[in-house]
Amino acid sequence: MTTTLGPLAPPSTRPQTARPGPVPDGAGVEVYETVAGYAAALDRFRDAGLTVGVVPTMGALHDGHCSLIQRAAHECDVVAVSIFVNPTQFGDPADLAAYPRTWQSDLASVEAAGGRVVFSPSVAEMYPEPPGDPGSGASVPELSGRWEGASRPGHFDGVATVVVKLLTAAGPCRAYFGEKDFQQLAVVRRVVRDHSLPAEIIGCDTVRAEDGLALSSRNVRLSPDQRRAALVLSRALRTGAALVAAGETRGPIVESAMARVVADEPLVDLDYAAAVDADDLEPAPSCDGRRPVRLIIAATVGGVRLIDNLDPLGAPRAPGRLRPAEPVELSFT
Ligand code: AMP
């Protein structure tokens, strides 16, 4: 089924917008709800000689998602954005139920960022097997055991499975994913390679609020006090990166410095703060620059799980991004 924006009536199964803001009239975004319709539409674009970029999302779009769409629009002729809150990657039903849904404003955001197609399937469309039948899912055990995978069992199986389904439906394309979900990006690269999917995976920079908080659809669930407290994640990453910039090479020392920063914030429960190998996500014993390293962090703030990461050895950053060299309090013990 294809719908063109304007008098678009969201299906009854789709939650109504939670964010005010009109959907522009006469917009040219095409909405597909079936795999077959979506696949055929992207085939038609390719048959016409156009390149396709895809941006998989779970909706509740913010400037981070829009940066992916904008980059895709810059690099591809046609951009398709999938909006699908994938139930198989949520372990906690309450988290799934609380996930924000902002359909109307999402459509406006896709259009404003340069997207032309929206794929918005139902759960039954994506998972047609009968209830209780697990289907033949995808899995990347090598990259899924630690960090987010340890705290959210089954999460990356759900991610790997839906990415295989979404990219199979999309066909040959460039697919844009955020480095914000660093472990997810590694899982995606691996599952695409293992399944020989015809997609080139493009990792995109994390977009942050002015004060450094990484944008996330979950941020809307934070109270003002919790949002202020959540800044400790990016502060801890900066502290770790500043230690590395100052010559500290021992991964565990960097990790404990980050953990100490978080410990000072009573509203925040740290899950992990780690220095990891950027390729295999194993703990990095050394940050001496011989292997690519990533600082990763996850914490819960008022019941909301937040994650962030930073390249401590990264090149000088553009304004608005976190600079490891920014002055922070250093401690080498
Ligand atoms: P989600 O809707 O949370 O599944 O995210 C969809 C895509 O947007 C994923 O590839 C995310 O990594 C990416 N993304 C989410 N937040 C940001 C951000 N702050 N900056 C850049 N990309 C992001």
Side-chain angles (χ1 to χ4, degrees):
M1 173 193 158
T2 308
T3 314
T4 301
L5 259 187
L8 181 81
S12 54
T13 52
R14 190 176 284 141
Q16 301 293 304
T17 180
R19 209 168 82 191
V23 177
D25 285 332
V29 177
E30 301 166 21
V31 179
Y32 295 90
E33 296 176 343
T34 65
V35 170
Y38 176 57
L42 297 192
D43 278 344
R44 280 196 298 277
F45 287 123
R46 279 185 293 262
D47 288 348
L50 302 177
T51 57
V52 171
V54 306
V55 182
T57 80
M58 297 203 297
L61 301 184
H62 51 63
D63 285 352
H65 299 111
C66 292
S67 74
L68 270 54
I69 301 169
Q70 284 162 353
R71 177 157 174 201
H74 188 66
E75 298 176 356
C76 308
D77 297 320
V78 176
V79 177
V81 179
S82 55
I83 298 179
F84 178 61
V85 183
N86 176 36
T88 66
Q89 70 187 72
F90 286 81
D92 176 4
D95 190 28
L96 174 60
Y99 202 81
R101 279 134 165 118
T102 58
W103 171 248
Q104 296 286 353
S105 63
D106 286 353
L107 289 181
S109 297
V110 168
E111 199 223 351
R116 175 145 169 201
V117 169
V118 166
F119 178 43
S120 170
S122 65
V123 173
E125 177 70 12
M126 290 299 281
Y127 298 103
E129 49 275 353
D133 177 348
S136 58
S139 177
V140 185
E142 300 82 1
L143 294 169
S144 303
R146 292 187 189 274
W147 320 124
E148 287 306 285
S151 295
R152 305 177 67 189
H155 170 67
F156 286 121
D157 292 352
V159 169
T161 301
V162 80
V163 164
V164 168
K165 285 170 174 277
L166 289 171
L167 294 184
T168 300
C173 64
R174 287 162 70 94
Y176 295 79
F177 290 85
E179 287 189 350
K180 154 80 166 47
D181 298 279
F182 196 74
Q183 190 174 8
Q184 170 176 282
L185 179 57
V187 167
V188 167
R189 287 189 194 282
R190 180 64 191 268
V191 79
V192 164
R193 197 184 77 194
D194 288 355
H195 288 250
S196 305
L197 297 176
E200 182 187 351
I201 304 303
I202 316 289
C204 303
D205 290 342
T206 299
V207 175
R208 299 173 180 283
E210 283 283 303
D211 56 13
L213 183 68
L215 299 189
S216 164
S217 302
R218 289 189 164 89
N219 290 353
V220 296
R221 290 166 55 194
L222 300 171
S223 71
D225 277 353
Q226 290 163 350
R227 197 198 169 288
R228 181 196 46 72
L231 289 174
V232 78
L233 273 76
S234 53
R235 212 159 56 235
L237 290 171
R238 283 204 304 273
T239 298
L243 272 179
V244 174
E248 178 57 68
T249 59
R250 295 164 294 177
I253 299 291
V254 175
E255 290 174 355
S256 33
M258 292 194 290
R260 274 202 306 277
V261 172
V262 179
D264 280 344
E265 179 47 76
L267 292 183
V268 177
D269 279 334
L270 181 65
D271 183 356
Y272 57 78
V276 302
D277 185 293
D279 290 332
D280 63 17
L281 302 179
E282 291 295 307
S286 173
C287 306
D288 61 6
R290 276 185 282 189
R291 295 274 316 150
V293 168
R294 203 83 181 187
L295 304 182
I296 60 174
I297 193 164
T300 306
V301 188
V304 180
R305 185 176 178 82
L306 299 176
I307 59 173
D308 199 355
N309 68 85
L310 185 63
D311 174 3
L313 304 165
R317 308 293 170 135
R321 297 188 50 200
L322 284 183
R323 267 178 285 241
E326 279 170 9
V328 293
E329 210 173 294
L330 294 183
S331 160
F332 290 85
T333 50

